Every structure is written in C-alpha cells, then in structure tokens.
Amino acid sequence: MAYDDDTSLGGTGARTRAVHGGTRRSQWGEVSEAIFLTQGFVYDSAEAAEARFQECGPDEFIYARYGNPTVRMFEDRIAQLEGAEDAFATASGMAAVNGALTSILKAGDRVVSSRALFGSCIYILESILGRYGVEVVFVDGTDLDAWREAVTPGTTAVFLETISNPALEVVDLPAVAAIAREAGALTIVDNVFATPVYSRAVEQGADLVIYSTTKHIDGQGRALGGVILGSREMIRGRIEPYMKHTGGSMSPFTAWVMLKGLETLDLRVRAQAENARAMAQAISGDPRLARVIHPSLPDHPQAEVAQTLTGGECTLLAIDLAGGQEAAFRFLNALKVMVISNNLGDAKSIVTHPATTTHQRLSDEQKETLGITPGLIRISAGIEDTADLIADLRAALDAV
C-alpha cells in the first residue's frame, strides 16, 4: 500500500499541526485517518523480510509491538506539535513514565526527583527503581538550591512534574534543566498538567517529555495511552528498543482515538483553562476554604514561574476545605454538574479527593509534606458553561 505522507504543511500554527501533522493517506484518499488493525505485515519475498528486519524504512513495519502506520501517524503528529524530533506512543501514561526511566537507568545510577508527584510515579521511583539498585533522591522541586545540592556530577537523570499533582506546585523547568545539564544529567519531565498547548518543555530544556494521553489529548474519557518525546537518537536508540521488547506499545485503535483528540486539543484545553481560572477567581477568599490553588492567582507561591512557563494557565485548580475530610465529602456529594472520578483533563469537569484516592498509599507525613490535606480537592475543569460550574461550586460550598 502506498502512503501520502503529509509532513509538509501549508501552515505552521499549532492547531494546523494538531489537525494535519504526520497524516498518511492510502490510495483511497480517506479524510479521517485509517485504523490499521493488524498485528503483523506481509513481505513480498524472503529477501524483503530479511532486509526489513535489518533496517526498517520510515513507512515500513514488522510487528505492531514495534510500530504500526496508525500509531506512527500519532507519533509524528504529536512530535510536530510538541516541537520534538520524535515520539514513541505507549499503552498508558504510566507505561511512558516507566519506559522513560527504566530504558535509560541501570544499577548504580542516580536520579534526583521532585518530591511532589503522582502516587504511581512515586511508586516507580521508590519501590521499583530502588529494588534494582538505582539511587533515588527526592527534593523540594520548587527549591533551586535543593536541586543544586542534590544534582551532583555523576547524576544520570532528574525527574519532575512541571506542575505537580495534585497541589499544583510549579517547578522552574529551565533552571532545573540547566542544573542537570551542567552535571551531565538528562532532564525527564512529566508535562501532563502543563499540556502541549501551554508548555514549551523541549525548548525549555527537557530531554524527554512524557504525557499521559489519557488526559487532555484524548480528553473524552475513552482510552488509556501515553507518549514519550525527545530527540530521534534518544527515542529510536534508547526508548524504542526497550518498549518494543517489554510490550508497552500503544494499540492502533488507541492511536486513532488520540489522533482524533489532537484535532480539538487546543480548543478544549483553552476552554478548560478559562473555566479553571474563572472558578478559582470566583471562590478565592471564601471563608469556608483554607486555600484556593491556581497558578494564575497572585498568592500562588510560584505565580511568577508559572507565568514564564505556561502564561499562568492550567486546566486544574485545587481547593482546601477548612472542615477537613468531612467537609470535603459533603462538598463532593453535593455537586450536580461536576463528577467524582480520578481522571483529569476531560471535557467533563471532574473532582477528586487525593488523600483517599490517587495518593491514599502515601504516609501521613508524605501527604503533609506535599500539601495533601484531608480537605484538599483537585478540580479538573471541563468545557461546560462557566456560569454553571461556578454555580455548582457555590451550591456545594453552601452544603458544607
């Protein structure tokens, strides 16, 4: 089958790349990208099979675990959007985190990580990497002096969330990347909260950028997925061999879902960020709340850094009910528009109680350090009418 590889676009804007980047069309000229639901590929001859296994061309494939036309379209498109040379799509966001770390690390290596992370990321760093002889050091990601002290020569990599889950700490990525580079370490960034719409992680120094495509990129609660982005040498030389042999590749159907998600990503994320900002401003200062956290608010501890990194935009906010867990549960149960779930980045507004769900396995001391109080609620703004969301918030606060 012949492909029309649409890598040369008539425009260079982000929305244009998100709609058209990496498009490959068959001889039938389909408008919507084709889904190639096949696990293997046929060769014209034994000699062709031998040649393919020795070296694959840009549109040649061996096995779906190694690569697939639909998956390759998604990888090319998101790489163009992110400004990275290449990408490898994975079965889930955590497959991407695990693959990015374990493909480059070995026993005796040293990783310095920000301490404010999603619970599963902490598990990989503490329980899995530590089990195999990788030294892991956690620091306050917002403290550049702590990074400078911990990232010593011989450090293999640093790992961070640009905006942390769930308390929205913002890490100064360019500064941390510079510290890592001086020590000869790679910078690996989980960029989910910053999104490809508002972040320039590659430009700001990241060597590898990770997304859970389950979140904003799908954005409609349909499929799990992840992606690792970086230089072609890093992706095809280090990431791909590890991922294809350990089985963490994205399925063709999921890649098609993610391609459809990319088409509306910019529109959805900007609407979500507008709603998150409006909600944060509407309830900031409410006496029933110990705090309202959003990077755009002037009282956010890293407001200046956030302005540099993402223009202060974020699709999430967090609120801390003064009445603790009892008040938090009353608030959650009183909501009518927003739904209780543990996902984020969805077109639907989603609320989460991290202390009892996504971060429940952490010790009380860890939760306290990370600002995960019994009253903390993470709110992922959807694309509903802003007035309806604010009314829902205020009614739920009244119920508290």
Side-chain angles (χ1 to χ4, degrees), residues 142-208:
T142 66
D143 184 346
L144 292 179
D145 287 334
W147 285 105
R148 292 186 186 99
E149 182 177 349
V151 183
T152 55
T155 299
T156 310
V158 302
F159 180 76
L160 58 99
E161 293 177 358
T162 324
I163 303 175
S164 75
N165 184 0
L168 307 183
E169 290 184 359
V170 183
V171 177
D172 189 342
L173 172 58
V176 173
I179 293 167
R181 191 162 48 249
E182 186 176 349
L186 295 171
T187 299
I188 305 173
V189 177
D190 181 338
N191 211 38
V192 169
F193 278 31
T195 80
V197 173
Y198 289 116
S199 173
R200 305 184 311 280
V202 172
E203 180 184 323
Q204 291 168 342
D207 295 294
L208 290 174

Side-chain angles (χ1 to χ4, degrees), residues 95 97-106 124 128-129 132 242-243:
V97 172
N98 182 66
L101 290 167
T102 53
S103 64
I104 66 170
L105 296 171
K106 62 184 185 305
I124 288 174
I128 296 179
L129 294 181
Y132 293 108
Y242 178 84
M243 296 304 298

